[in-house]
Amino acid sequence: MKTFAPVLLLLAACQAPAPAPAAATSPAAATGVRPGIETFLANLPAAVRGKRVGLITNHTGIDRARTPDIDLIAQHPDLNLVALLAPEHGIRGNVMDGEHIQDEVDAKTGVPVYSLYLSEDRAPTPAMLQEVDVLVYDLQEVGGRTWTYVSTMALAMQAAKAKGIPFVVLDRPNPIGGEIVEGALLDPRFASFVGMYPIPARHGMTVGELATLFNQKHGIGANLIVARVAGWRRSQWQDETGLPWVNPSPNLRSLAALTSYPGTVYFEGTTVAEGRGTDRPFEQVGASWLDAPRVAAIMNAKQLPGIRFEAVTLPMEPTARKFPGQAIPGIRFVVTDRQAYRPVRTALLLIDEIRRQHPADFAWTRTIDRLTGSDRVRLAIEGGRLLPLLDEWDREAEEFREARKPYLLYP
């Protein structure tokens, strides 16, 4: 039987929020939601006090005043920041998906920046951690399994375990809430950087909760410390927390995009454009051959909960991967009730319909099975069996919703 290092939780959420300055009028101050970076620094664990810190972060790692974690930790008298580790999109979040990032030096602090997206397996290497006594992680999660920052966290936890140093997660709210769970669990045979562990497409967990799950259920066994968010409840979405909005990546530019992302990301695995190269990635899809008015009308007739579809024209940027420089027919997702909307089911039903209407033009790309977490979606759509599969997925999602309860940190 495996034994795991105990998870230390900073019980900041159970403490009264620190009094705000008299002049503070921000929504975050009013709601009392404080991110993990603030609870961590307010009650520094003994295990990290005076230690040399390696920080995995980017532009999303900020406090309520938008001060970067990099500055906060570099200036802290009881912490010694010695290394910065950059995930996909870079330390500032401005590098496009898939582009390699080079090592550099942070101009403000003089601390070396190591690219996790340059190493062969995208994990911290022993050389990166040579001077590091504790690894600290703060990256914004977006609520979908394919988000690579979660894989970066898991790989970094494994590296921390291998070196025998603590791993600290500075937790943040799940921006699309923590109640809705949707989609099938990843088949371990299809594990990749866009999904390492068997969790649903929309898991409804924070990174701190996912770290706890990975550590205990899936056997990482790191010395894990989770600095909890103070004042957050699972029912809250990002725009209800009062915390500042930051685009998690160049192509996720709004909460509306995140709301559809767990499903619309599957269009990456097709010859239909997923909205990259337009002004609203992941909120709209299109193709030069798409009969958008017809498909939108068919989809609206299905009366799917919380969503309607608009036929639009999408001007594609010259640098777009699909249909560069063209103005193409498109379909926009207009969310009318985000609590009722199920983006995974909706996107797959749309993919199925587009394939039915355009059998000669629609095609899969090599990434579809990795994105959906198995070959079952592709085979079900090709065999006309999507609806039974989606019903099965709903049952699996509900089972996961119950199974995740021991790892949840928030009410």
Side-chain angles (χ1 to χ4, degrees), residues 307-327:
I307 188 71
R308 63 181 172 84
F309 304 88
E310 291 183 354
V312 294
T313 299
L314 304 181
M316 304 295 290
E317 297 170 358
T319 55
R321 292 182 181 177
K322 299 175 182 177
F323 313 106
Q326 300 181 44

Side-chain angles (χ1 to χ4, degrees), residues 9-327:
L9 302 181
L10 303 184
L11 300 178
C14 300
Q15 302 171 354
T25 58
S26 71
T31 63
V33 177
R34 293 184 291 145
I37 178 61
E38 295 189 22
T39 63
F40 173 69
L41 296 178
N43 186 18
L44 204 63
V48 305
R49 193 175 295 274
K51 297 297 177 65
R52 297 173 298 178
V53 174
L55 176 61
I56 303 169
T57 194
N58 63 7
H59 64 297
T60 65
I62 56 175
D63 67 4
R64 287 177 292 173
R66 295 185 178 269
T67 306
D69 290 9
I70 297 172
D71 297 343
L72 293 168
I73 292 176
Q75 295 165 6
H76 197 283
D78 294 323
L79 296 172
N80 180 16
L81 183 63
V82 298
L84 294 168
L85 296 93
E88 183 181 13
H89 306 299
I91 204 75
R92 298 171 194 85
N94 56 3
V95 180
M96 287 297 179
D97 60 291
E99 289 188 24
H100 282 215
I101 303 158
Q102 302 300 316
D103 294 345
E104 56 182 331
V105 174
D106 180 58
K108 187 171 183 179
T109 63
V111 173
V113 180
Y114 300 108
S115 171
L116 296 175
Y117 214 62
L118 193 61
S119 61
E120 184 173 348
D121 63 358
R122 296 173 180 170
T125 65
M128 294 176 188
L129 302 183
Q130 185 173 359
E131 303 298 323
V132 172
D133 300 320
V134 56
L135 261 180
V136 177
Y137 173 99
D138 189 2
L139 293 168
Q140 178 64 61
E141 215 279 313
V142 302
R145 182 183 62 220
T146 59
W147 192 237
T148 62
Y149 293 175
V150 174
S151 295
T152 292
M153 179 180 70
L155 292 168
M157 289 172 66
Q158 294 171 9
K161 166 65 176 177
K163 189 175 181 185
I165 60 176
F167 187 87
V168 180
V169 175
L170 307 181
D171 210 3
R172 293 185 175 274
N174 185 318
I176 58 174
E179 294 184 326
I180 300 171
V181 177
E182 189 188 7
L185 275 63
L186 173 115
D187 182 334
R189 296 176 301 164
F190 292 83
S192 71
F193 196 53
V194 292
M196 289 182 60
Y197 292 109
I199 60 174
R202 182 177 181 178
H203 46 73
M205 300 176 75
T206 69
V207 287
E209 292 172 335
L210 288 171
T212 306
L213 173 70
F214 296 165
N215 204 47
Q216 296 182 11
K217 185 173 183 179
H218 298 295
I220 294 179
N223 178 11
L224 175 64
I225 300 170
V226 177
R228 291 175 60 175
V229 180
W232 183 69
R233 300 186 66 85
R234 313 200 71 78
S235 60
Q236 289 178 299
W237 291 52
Q238 174 73 24
D239 56 1
E240 296 170 324
T241 65
L243 296 175
W245 169 265
V246 180
N247 291 350
S249 74
N251 285 300
L252 287 174
R253 305 171 187 172
S254 67
L255 185 57
L258 266 61
T259 302
S260 288
Y261 173 80
T264 52
V265 67
Y266 295 152
F267 283 89
E268 291 184 12
T270 75
T271 50
V272 181
E274 67 279 1
R276 282 194 176 97
T278 75
D279 60 344
R280 296 166 75 170
F282 298 105
E283 294 182 64
Q284 51 195 11
V285 301
S288 60
W289 38 262
L290 179 64
D291 187 345
R294 176 174 174 79
V295 173
I298 293 171
M299 292 300 297
N300 284 326
K302 296 179 186 292
Q303 296 185 320
L304 300 177
I307 188 71
R308 63 181 172 84
F309 304 88
E310 291 183 354
V312 294
T313 299
L314 304 181
M316 304 295 290
E317 297 170 358
T319 55
R321 292 182 181 177
K322 299 175 182 177
F323 313 106
Q326 300 181 44

